[in-house]
């Protein structure tokens, strides 16, 4: 889940980070509830930790929080920190039979809801029940139904997603199209963005495939090369310049691999490093993680403090301060923003925070 929290300008943010410093940032105000591990898609690129072959993440057998438990969890969060946005993800969050009740609960507290979904269950009735106060992030992987369905492992998914995106647009809700770029679909990017705009998307989130979860089984089949990413960014830069469509990258694109400065109309996202721009995760059973990519459980929402975790937990301090071994001698002007890319992807792929993002290691 790299939500639409991407930085507005890599030059501006570099200055901000230099002035403020990682350790002195405010606590996060956006949090994500992974409502379920269940999903009706079987995406080969999925990075959910519970789909990784060797991580032994607690499975759905650990249970899902009830609506009452979710209400208590949100109340506890609000007692400790300011909460502006709650993202609902999974798995596929709309599979929860009480999904609309959860959205109603969050809206009743005056909190914006970000619904991160594969889009296949966005029926007219569900959208109408949840549209007010919600932002919908919907994955559209190709303008071609066959490609989208193959990547999701779900025949008929593309048709359902197209219908769902139209329902969101007709309901007047904010629609963010998400394109996950893999070796199989990156050439489809341009027409897919055009289709997303026709369906009512007001912005686009571009995510190069991030190594982790299910794709650890076949990284060579789906992983991107820097040349592929450059090709995509060139397409996106032209679209953004010509149409004004807001476009952001949600997964780090390391500047030693791709010169992100060549694409000024794209907002480039960086690892939040457990700072104020982070999106801490509460999994279906109530376990807390530092971000959606990390497999490391730091505590439980019913007994542990988010504030304590983000200010004092040894893992969080290590996550913030560790420089990957390969980056020790880096002199790139954006090194303090990049810091080796996605720390959690390295943790999933190599079992350590001391290695650089797999995108760099596999591309070097």
């Amino acid at each position: 889940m790299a939500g639409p929290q991407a930085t507005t300008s890599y030059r501006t943010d570099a200055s901000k980070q230099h002035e403020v410093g990682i350790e002195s940032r405010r606590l996060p105000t956006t949090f994500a509830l992974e409502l379920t591990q269940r999903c009706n898609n079987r995406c080969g690129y999925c990075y959910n930790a519970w789909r990784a072959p060797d991580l032994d993440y607690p499975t759905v057998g650990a249970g899902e929080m009830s609506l009452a438990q979710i209400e208590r969890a949100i109340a506890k969060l609000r007692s400790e920190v300011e909460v502006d946005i709650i993202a609902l993800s999974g798995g596929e969050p709309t599979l929860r039979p009480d999904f609309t009740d959860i959205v109603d609960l969050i809206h009743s507290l005056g909190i914006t809801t970000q619904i991160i979904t594969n889009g296949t269950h966005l029926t007219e009735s569900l959208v109408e029940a949840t549209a007010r106060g919600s932002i919908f992030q919907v994955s559209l992987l190709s303008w071609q139904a066959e490609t989208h369905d193959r990547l999701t492992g779900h025949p008929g998914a593309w048709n359902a997603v197209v219908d769902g995106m139209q329902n969101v647009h007709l309901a007047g809700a904010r629609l963010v199209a998400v394109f996950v770029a893999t070796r199989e679909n990156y050439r489809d990017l341009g027409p897919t963005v055009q289709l997303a705009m026709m369906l009512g998307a007001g912005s686009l989130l571009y995510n190069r495939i991030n190594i982790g979860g299910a794709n650890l089984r076949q990284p060579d089949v789906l992983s991107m090369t820097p040349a592929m990413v450059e090709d995509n960014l060139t397409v996106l830069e032209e679209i953004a310049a010509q149409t004004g469509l807001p476009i952001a990258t949600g997964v780090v694109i390391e500047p030693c691999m791709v010169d992100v400065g060549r694409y000024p109309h794209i907002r480039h996202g960086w690892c939040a490093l457990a700072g104020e721009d982070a999106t801490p995760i509460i999994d279906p059973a109530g376990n807390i993680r530092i971000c959606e990519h990390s497999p490391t459980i730091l505590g439980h929402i019913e007994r542990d403090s988010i504030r304590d975790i983000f200010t004092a937990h040894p893992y969080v301090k290590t996550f913030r301060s560790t420089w990957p071994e390969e980056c020790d001698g880096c002199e790139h002007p954006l090194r303090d923003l990049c810091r080796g890319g996605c720390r959690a992807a390295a943790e999933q792929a190599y079992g350590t925070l001391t290695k650089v993002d797999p995108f760099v290691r596999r591309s070097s």
Side-chain angles (χ1 to χ4, degrees), residues 25 38 62 96 98 125 140 162 168 203 205 233 248 281 301:
R25 289 181 181 180
R38 291 172 289 136
R96 285 273 303 231
D98 57 354
S125 60
L140 183 64
V162 168
V168 172
S203 59
L205 188 64
L233 292 181
I281 301 296
I301 189 60

Side-chain angles (χ1 to χ4, degrees), residues 73-299:
I74 295 173
K76 187 168 184 292
L77 278 177
R78 298 180 77 209
S79 72
E80 297 184 35
V81 298
E82 180 181 348
V83 181
D84 293 332
I85 298 174
I86 291 181
L88 301 177
S89 67
E92 173 49 44
T94 60
L95 292 180
R96 285 273 303 231
D98 57 354
F99 178 73
T100 58
D101 295 328
I102 294 170
V103 175
D104 285 343
L105 166 65
I106 296 170
H107 289 173
S108 72
L109 300 172
I111 300 171
T112 298
T113 304
Q114 201 172 62
I115 299 173
I116 301 174
T117 173
N118 63 34
T120 58
H121 281 220
L122 294 178
T123 61
E124 185 176 349
S125 60
L126 184 142
V127 170
E128 287 181 353
T130 58
R132 187 175 181 181
S134 292
I135 302 168
F136 292 79
Q137 277 193 26
V138 183
S139 298
L140 183 64
L141 305 177
S142 177
W143 62 278
Q144 302 181 90
E146 179 183 357
T147 301
H148 180 99
D149 291 357
R150 183 175 67 253
L151 284 168
T152 61
H154 182 174
W158 186 89
N159 287 323
V161 171
V162 168
D163 288 344
M165 293 177 74
Q166 289 179 313
N167 289 335
V168 172
H169 177 57
L170 291 173
R174 181 179 167 187
L175 175 61
V176 181
V178 181
F179 185 89
V180 180
T182 73
R183 191 177 293 258
E184 291 192 9
N185 71 331
Y186 80 96
R187 292 185 180 88
D188 290 355
L189 177 62
T192 305
V193 176
Q194 298 296 334
L195 173 60
M197 294 174 67
M198 291 173 60
L199 294 171
S203 59
L204 177 84
L205 188 64
Y206 171 86
N207 292 333
R208 66 159 179 84
I209 183 174
N210 206 16
I211 299 300
N215 70 65
L216 285 170
R217 296 181 175 89
Q218 50 176 358
D220 293 329
V221 175
L222 296 173
S223 61
M224 299 276 283
T225 66
M228 294 174 185
V229 174
E230 287 178 344
D231 179 82
N232 277 179
L233 292 181
T234 299
V235 170
L236 294 176
E237 175 69 17
E238 182 177 356
I239 292 173
Q242 291 181 353
T243 69
L245 180 72
I247 298 176
T249 60
V251 176
V252 178
I253 298 172
E254 289 79 1
C256 62
M257 296 288 101
V258 176
D259 182 5
V260 295
R262 293 173 52 202
Y263 314 100
H265 291 89
I266 301 171
R267 293 174 293 162
H268 301 287
W270 311 98
C271 179
L273 288 173
E276 65 181 275
D277 296 325
T279 302
I281 301 296
I282 301 171
D283 81 2
N287 299 307
I288 301 168
R289 305 199 312 276
I290 200 168
C291 69
E292 61 183 340
H293 295 280
S294 174
T296 298
I297 292 173
L298 305 177

